[in-house]
Amino acid sequence: MHRGRSNGTRDYNPKQMAIREKVFNTIISCFKRHGAETIDTPVFELKETLTGKYGEDSKLIYDLKDQGGELLSLRYDLTVPFARYLAMNKITNIKRYHIAKVYRRDNPAMTRGRYREFYQCDFDIAGQYDAMIPDAECLKIVHEILSELQLGEFCIKVNDRRILDGMFAVCGVPDEKFRTICSTVDKLDKMSWEDVKKEMVNEKGLSEEAADQIGEYVSMRGGMDLAERLLQDQKMCQNKQACAGLSDIKLLFSYLQLFQVTDKVVFDLSLARGLDYYTGVIYEAVLTQAGLPPLANDSQNGASSEESAGVGSVAGGGRYDGLVGMFDPKGRKVPCVGVSIGIERIFSIMEQKASAEKVRTTEVQVMVASAQKNLLEERLRLVTELWSAGIKAEVMYKKNPKLLSQLQHCEEGGVPLVAILGEQELKDGVVKLRVVSTREEVDISRADLIAEIKRRTSEA
Amino acid sequence: MHRGRSNGTRDYNPKQMAIREKVFNTIISCFKRHGAETIDTPVFELKETLTGKYGEDSKLIYDLKDQGGELLSLRYDLTVPFARYLAMNKITNIKRYHIAKVYRRDNPAMTRGRYREFYQCDFDIAGQYDAMIPDAECLKIVHEILSELQLGEFCIKVNDRRILDGMFAVCGVPDEKFRTICSTVDKLDKMSWEDVKKEMVNEKGLSEEAADQIGEYVSMRGGMDLAERLLQDQKMCQNKQACAGLSDIKLLFSYLQLFQVTDKVVFDLSLARGLDYYTGVIYEAVLTQAGLPPLANDSQNGASSEESAGVGSVAGGGRYDGLVGMFDPKGRKVPCVGVSIGIERIFSIMEQKASAEKVRTTEVQVMVASAQKNLLEERLRLVTELWSAGIKAEVMYKKNPKLLSQLQHCEEGGVPLVAILGEQELKDGVVKLRVVSTREEVDISRADLIAEIKRRTSEA
């Protein structure tokens, strides 16, 4: 009998779960602070719901076996189910987060943190609103989350699909080559400009002149000033699309100033996230500090493995105003903007950080122990009292456990206190409370015990 | 294009998610109070891991399509993955909970709350311990959870696989008929004794005499006294298995007394949960109050649809000392006892209770609004301040929203406070703080605003 686990999947052990819970709490608190609701959708969708949404990556979709009935596939991301949900329920306004696992039949590279089952953590704002206000809030949220998680220095790159398209147009890229040239530009975070240019010219048949013009633009980065400069740019200003994008970038930066996050945001013309469904602003957050763990969980921060993601990419997203309409019988559009937090990447970083540390996997405040034999009943009585008072407490499931093994259990599990019962203590109506870290012991009357435990573990 | 959702699945909307979160919090707090860790396993397992664990119900397992590579199936419960996890990692001691979705190709009966994707919520204690101490804690946990969730009156039935087997033996049931007669006994919560007897005699070929003897036993219920009485029973006391079970029931009740839960626990010889893997104590919690919602989510409280579950069943479990050994190359056993909380049933009850109520789906404390035009910047500045202070705050994504629509948004969403900015307030360095429920308005200085919001929403 095979006793293993499926390739490219993993179990989370209690330590990993404790880290995962901490990360979730930070992120969910942020989403809630911004007034988000949450929804959940099934792990499988009708196959046709996913068809035609992921381009070449569709081959990575897990299908269920046809056992009679509908053809089903495991969800590939959370964005398509979200769009299906909005259309199906005719919802035109929602600010929601969704944290759940998605599935890709990718080549697992588990040492690099790439799995076939992994979490996505999405925040999206759907609704017809005034330009760039929800977009700015998405960036604000990324800024808050990355700051609070203390992952080190980061930078949020911003661009706009319309600026990219406009740029390609004014540089003389033929319309039908926009997508393919865009995906080459997307490699600029991993390849030198020379190599990117070679690919454009040699593989994709772009003229050298056009490539050079693109090269000039994609080297540009800045802030609102760059948007203003490009609005004056002789070529760019002739392209309507580009102008609309540049004006929005300007407006976006004005809101980002009010949100006090411009320190980390860069308008970067080389940012070209691969997803077809983006229609406006796009962004990506990158950790910039040296000494990052050697992960390349590239495909798992957004909705597509085609999607670019820098070495240190930990969040990405953008505006997608057309997707919901694809699910509506009348094609009614619901404008959306959202961000996907690269939570698997973040787990890995936090796990590496914690690898040397002891991480508590329970929250037990006190173990009820005894030094002598035949005190099981007394232990069970006391632990019942503590549970009633809301105290997290444990007792060993042995009639006569050794005191040493009870203390060891506390040391291993990080349990801070031990309430020790003995014949003498029972006679005196007290409990010996032992502080595991200092080995200090103090007799506490039964009447004061609960308050004393709460006091001593209140920071936990 | 199809725009639907797969049969037998559902989306959770924000209101359902808010209820789900509340239920989870209560249950998880209880598990943590008892010192449990948590783990997670993948949604799919190797097909062979699930093979031969669920008897006839194996036909309900979802298989993934063979797209090259391994043969995979969606998990059918959390117990088999748990056993696989323990064996694979050679863990001999753990107290863990696991809340996750499982999958069954059952006939969906969604109006009755039966889905093909549904949550299980399991708590298990693995390890070689002294008899009945962990078993008693499982019952204590069920008692705490059902009490805290305020689901109404309930009763926890207890029995033991060995008592059932012993009873069948002394009543003259042939060995090979134990399982099938057991599954007939299991129907006693839905069928009269007469019908059960008919099935035994006419369909299963049991002698009428044997059936009548079983009938006498399965009508018995009581507490520790009943266990004592049966230990004196002329027939029962001759069966070694039955005696061991009865002694353990006695011991169990002595611990339940210390845990102060005997008020709800009944030793009931008709309880016969269907799962093959139980080896000792079994139990099931049933809501006993009239007026329960008409659900029959029977198959979803435990690991099998064969498993009995009364109309109001909301938790069930038992001891299974042999399962982990099935996954160990050397067959090393890890004794386990656990309980599965029928959380889908509980969601449904809570949803029905809440159907008339307004349930908040966000935790927003204050909306930053303006009464006049051109105050977007001021609103964004203020909301940024509030977010920095950890306050859950919202702003409408419009340049010039109407005050009325801002107030309406708060009333609909249950947002308790509105911080209103106007030209005059800005000049005076104040904010008009409006209490949505009472329409009371009071000017608060900017310096005091954060403290005032915290004070007024501290109970939330």
Side-chain angles (χ1 to χ4, degrees):
Chain A
M1 170 183 197
H2 201 113
R3 289 162 198 92
R5 207 181 35 226
S6 156
N7 246 331
T9 66
R10 64 173 153 173
D11 299 314
Y12 282 86
N13 66 33
K15 182 173 173 178
Q16 290 168 320
M17 288 299 278
I19 293 167
R20 185 174 117 174
E21 188 179 335
K22 219 182 118 194
V23 173
F24 279 160
N25 284 346
T26 303
I27 292 174
I28 292 172
S29 295
C30 177
F31 292 156
K32 287 187 173 177
R33 193 162 56 240
H34 288 264
E37 306 176 297
T38 186
I39 67 160
D40 197 12
T41 62
V43 83
F44 45 71
E45 295 277 344
L46 293 171
K47 186 176 164 61
E48 46 200 314
T49 298
L50 307 191
T51 301
K53 304 299 183 305
Y54 304 105
E56 274 191 15
D57 287 333
S58 295
K59 65 180 184 298
L60 302 181
I61 293 175
Y62 273 105
D63 292 330
L64 269 72
K65 188 170 158 186
D66 183 359
Q67 294 170 290
E70 303 153 319
L71 294 180
L72 305 172
S73 301
L74 295 186
R75 64 183 163 209
Y76 186 84
D77 66 9
L78 302 177
T79 310
V80 165
F82 176 55
R84 192 265 305 147
Y85 173 81
L86 294 188
M88 207 174 140
N89 296 286
K90 297 191 172 54
I91 294 166
T92 54
N93 275 290
I94 192 169
K95 178 160 59 178
R96 83 87 181 79
Y97 67 91
H98 190 187
I99 303 180
K101 288 176 180 169
V102 303
Y103 300 88
R104 297 187 187 176
R105 283 182 53 251
D106 227 330
N107 271 334
M110 289 155 71
T111 50
R112 296 187 297 141
R114 183 150 74 192
Y115 293 91
R116 290 178 165 180
E117 171 181 67
F118 58 95
Y119 271 100
Q120 282 198 340
C121 171
D122 285 12
F123 171 92
D124 296 84
I125 301 171
Q128 186 69 59
Y129 299 117
D130 285 332
M132 294 301 112
I133 313 177
D135 314 59
E137 189 171 15
C138 287
L139 295 177
K140 171 73 172 162
I141 283 173
V142 172
H143 192 282
E144 284 183 9
I145 288 173
L146 297 184
S147 304
E148 282 168 38
L149 289 173
Q150 298 182 287
L151 299 172
E153 286 302 309
F154 63 89
C155 157
I156 307 173
K157 300 179 195 173
V158 177
N159 199 0
D160 192 295
R161 165 80 182 264
R162 293 163 298 172
I163 299 174
L164 279 166
D165 284 353
M167 176 183 81
F168 293 138
V170 304
C171 292
V173 179
D175 280 16
E176 70 279 9
K177 287 196 172 151
F178 278 20
R179 302 316 313 140
T180 183
I181 293 299
C182 191
S183 71
T184 305
V185 166
D186 203 18
K187 298 177 182 168
L188 267 172
D189 52 356
K190 289 166 216 149
M191 277 161 61
S192 69
W193 165 247
E194 286 66 37
D195 291 337
V196 166
K197 183 180 164 183
K198 258 184 219 152
E199 185 175 313
M200 285 179 178
V201 176
N202 300 345
E203 286 177 38
K204 309 224 161 152
L206 196 66
S207 74
E208 196 156 331
E209 198 197 343
D212 284 335
Q213 285 188 40
I214 292 172
E216 266 179 54
Y217 284 119
V218 296
S219 68
M220 295 177 180
R221 56 211 62 185
M224 195 192 276
D225 53 311
L226 176 57
E228 278 164 352
R229 197 143 44 83
L230 284 169
L231 276 169
Q232 311 298 325
D233 180 278
Q234 268 207 333
K235 281 185 294 181
M236 280 290 216
C237 72
Q238 286 165 23
N239 184 286
K240 229 176 131 183
Q241 285 261 75
C243 283
L246 289 164
S247 303
D248 273 351
I249 290 282
K250 257 187 74 176
L251 189 59
L252 177 70
F253 268 91
S254 73
Y255 297 144
L256 295 177
Q257 266 163 17
L258 295 165
F259 284 154
Q260 303 180 353
V261 295
T262 43
D263 60 321
K264 305 284 190 198
V265 185
V266 177
F267 172 31
D268 182 333
L269 276 90
S270 73
L271 176 68
R273 291 172 64 77
L275 277 182
D276 272 3
Y277 57 57
Y278 288 125
T279 53
V281 167
I282 52 178
Y283 34 81
E284 186 168 299
V286 184
L287 299 185
T288 53
Q289 238 165 9
L292 278 176
L295 298 165
N297 193 359
D298 299 354
S299 74
Q300 305 190 345
N301 296 319
S304 161
S305 68
E306 270 191 342
E307 195 171 343
S308 102
V311 179
S313 174
V314 284
R319 176 162 285 282
Y320 52 103
D321 289 347
L323 190 62
V324 178
M326 292 174 71
F327 291 95
D328 186 274
K330 293 185 183 157
R332 277 167 297 212
K333 288 187 176 182
V334 177
C336 292
V337 62
V339 62
S340 190
I341 306 294
I343 196 160
E344 291 286 347
R345 188 85 218 275
I346 292 169
F347 290 152
S348 300
I349 294 169
M350 299 303 253
E351 278 173 25
Q352 285 221 342
K353 271 191 187 178
S355 58
E357 291 167 40
K358 272 221 164 179
V359 173
R360 286 201 65 183
T361 58
T362 76
E363 298 173 13
V364 175
Q365 295 165 281
V366 61
M367 157 158 277
V368 175
S370 58
Q372 291 137 339
K373 288 199 167 189
N374 300 320
L375 291 171
L376 174 62
E377 294 199 359
E378 291 301 335
R379 284 191 288 132
L380 295 184
R381 234 177 239 129
L382 179 54
V383 79
T384 303
E385 250 181 69
L386 299 179
W387 287 332
S388 302
I391 286 173
K392 294 167 192 137
E394 250 186 333
V395 74
M396 282 196 99
Y397 304 124
K398 299 269 184 185
K399 278 189 191 165
N400 297 309
K402 287 177 189 144
L403 184 60
L404 191 66
S405 67
Q406 295 172 86
L407 295 178
Q408 255 169 358
H409 175 90
C410 293
E411 274 179 24
E412 281 160 17
V415 179
L417 299 173
V418 193
I420 305 173
L421 290 170
E423 296 294 350
Q424 193 57 48
E425 284 81 9
L426 287 167
K427 264 182 218 148
D428 299 346
V430 299
V431 170
K432 202 178 281 304
L433 198 62
R434 180 184 169 111
V435 179
V436 176
S437 59
T438 62
R439 302 182 180 187
E440 169 203 358
E441 290 185 351
V442 46
D443 281 352
I444 309 283
S445 80
R446 288 289 281 252
D448 297 335
L449 183 64
I450 285 164
E452 186 63 22
I453 293 170
K454 285 188 180 172
R455 194 182 66 75
R456 285 177 182 263
T457 56
S458 61
E459 76 275 60
Chain B
M1 169 181 196
H2 201 115
R3 288 163 199 92
R5 206 179 37 226
S6 155
N7 248 329
T9 66
R10 65 174 152 173
D11 300 314
Y12 283 85
N13 65 33
K15 183 173 171 177
Q16 291 168 320
M17 289 298 278
I19 292 167
R20 186 173 116 173
E21 189 179 335
K22 219 182 119 195
V23 173
F24 279 161
N25 285 346
T26 303
I27 292 174
I28 292 172
S29 295
C30 177
F31 292 156
K32 288 187 173 176
R33 193 162 57 240
H34 288 264
E37 308 177 294
T38 186
I39 67 160
D40 198 14
T41 62
V43 81
F44 44 70
E45 295 278 345
L46 294 171
K47 186 176 164 60
E48 46 200 312
T49 298
L50 306 191
T51 302
K53 304 300 182 305
Y54 304 105
E56 272 191 17
D57 287 333
S58 295
K59 64 181 184 297
L60 302 181
I61 293 174
Y62 273 104
D63 291 331
L64 268 70
K65 189 170 157 184
D66 182 0
Q67 294 170 291
E70 304 152 319
L71 293 180
L72 305 172
S73 300
L74 297 186
R75 64 182 163 210
Y76 186 83
D77 66 10
L78 303 176
T79 310
V80 166
F82 176 55
R84 192 265 305 147
Y85 173 82
L86 294 188
M88 207 175 140
N89 297 286
K90 298 190 171 51
I91 294 166
T92 54
N93 274 292
I94 193 169
K95 177 159 60 179
R96 82 89 181 77
Y97 68 91
H98 190 188
I99 303 180
K101 288 176 181 169
V102 302
Y103 299 87
R104 299 188 185 175
R105 283 181 55 252
D106 226 330
N107 272 334
M110 289 155 71
T111 49
R112 295 187 298 141
R114 184 150 74 191
Y115 293 91
R116 290 177 165 179
E117 172 183 65
F118 59 94
Y119 270 100
Q120 282 198 340
C121 171
D122 285 12
F123 172 91
D124 294 85
I125 301 172
Q128 187 68 60
Y129 299 117
D130 284 331
M132 295 299 113
I133 313 177
D135 314 60
E137 190 171 16
C138 287
L139 295 176
K140 171 73 172 164
I141 283 173
V142 172
H143 191 281
E144 284 184 9
I145 288 173
L146 297 183
S147 303
E148 281 168 38
L149 289 172
Q150 298 183 287
L151 299 172
E153 286 302 309
F154 62 89
C155 157
I156 308 174
K157 300 179 195 172
V158 178
N159 199 0
D160 192 297
R161 167 77 182 267
R162 294 163 298 170
I163 299 174
L164 280 166
D165 284 354
M167 174 182 82
F168 293 137
V170 304
C171 292
V173 179
D175 279 17
E176 70 278 9
K177 285 195 174 153
F178 277 19
R179 302 318 311 142
T180 183
I181 293 299
C182 191
S183 71
T184 304
V185 166
D186 203 18
K187 296 177 183 169
L188 268 173
D189 52 356
K190 288 167 215 146
M191 276 161 61
S192 69
W193 165 248
E194 285 67 36
D195 291 338
V196 165
K197 183 180 164 184
K198 258 183 219 154
E199 187 175 310
M200 287 179 177
V201 176
N202 301 342
E203 287 176 40
K204 311 222 162 152
L206 196 67
S207 73
E208 196 157 329
E209 197 197 345
D212 284 336
Q213 286 188 38
I214 292 172
E216 266 178 55
Y217 284 118
V218 297
S219 68
M220 296 178 179
R221 56 213 61 186
M224 195 190 278
D225 54 311
L226 176 58
E228 279 164 353
R229 196 143 46 85
L230 285 169
L231 276 169
Q232 310 300 324
D233 181 277
Q234 269 207 334
K235 281 184 294 181
M236 281 288 216
C237 71
Q238 287 165 22
N239 185 285
K240 228 176 134 183
Q241 285 263 74
C243 283
L246 289 165
S247 302
D248 274 350
I249 291 281
K250 254 187 78 178
L251 189 58
L252 178 69
F253 268 91
S254 73
Y255 296 144
L256 295 177
Q257 266 164 15
L258 295 165
F259 284 155
Q260 303 180 352
V261 295
T262 42
D263 60 322
K264 306 284 191 198
V265 185
V266 177
F267 173 30
D268 183 334
L269 274 92
S270 74
L271 176 68
R273 292 173 64 78
L275 276 181
D276 272 4
Y277 58 57
Y278 287 126
T279 54
V281 167
I282 51 177
Y283 33 80
E284 186 168 298
V286 184
L287 300 184
T288 53
Q289 237 165 11
L292 279 175
L295 298 165
N297 194 0
D298 299 354
S299 76
Q300 304 189 345
N301 296 320
S304 162
S305 66
E306 268 190 344
E307 196 170 339
S308 102
V311 180
S313 173
V314 285
R319 176 162 285 282
Y320 52 103
D321 288 347
L323 190 62
V324 177
M326 294 175 69
F327 292 95
D328 186 273
K330 293 185 184 158
R332 275 167 297 213
K333 288 188 177 182
V334 178
C336 292
V337 62
V339 62
S340 190
I341 306 294
I343 197 161
E344 291 285 348
R345 188 84 219 274
I346 293 170
F347 290 153
S348 300
I349 295 169
M350 300 304 253
E351 279 174 25
Q352 284 220 343
K353 271 193 185 176
S355 59
E357 292 166 38
K358 272 221 162 177
V359 174
R360 285 201 66 182
T361 57
T362 76
E363 299 174 11
V364 176
Q365 296 164 280
V366 62
M367 156 158 277
V368 175
S370 58
Q372 290 138 343
K373 289 199 166 187
N374 302 321
L375 290 173
L376 174 62
E377 294 200 358
E378 291 300 336
R379 282 191 288 134
L380 294 185
R381 234 177 239 127
L382 178 54
V383 80
T384 302
E385 250 179 70
L386 299 180
W387 288 331
S388 302
I391 287 173
K392 293 167 193 136
E394 251 186 333
V395 74
M396 284 197 96
Y397 304 122
K398 298 269 184 183
K399 278 188 190 167
N400 297 308
K402 286 176 189 145
L403 184 59
L404 191 65
S405 67
Q406 295 171 87
L407 296 179
Q408 256 169 358
H409 175 90
C410 292
E411 276 180 21
E412 282 160 15
V415 179
L417 299 172
V418 194
I420 304 173
L421 290 170
E423 296 295 349
Q424 193 57 48
E425 284 81 11
L426 286 166
K427 263 184 217 144
D428 299 346
V430 298
V431 170
K432 202 178 279 308
L433 197 62
R434 180 184 168 111
V435 179
V436 175
S437 58
T438 62
R439 300 183 181 187
E440 169 203 357
E441 288 186 353
V442 47
D443 281 354
I444 309 283
S445 81
R446 289 290 280 251
D448 297 335
L449 183 64
I450 285 165
E452 185 65 20
I453 293 169
K454 285 186 177 170
R455 194 181 66 76
R456 285 176 181 263
T457 55
S458 60
E459 75 276 61

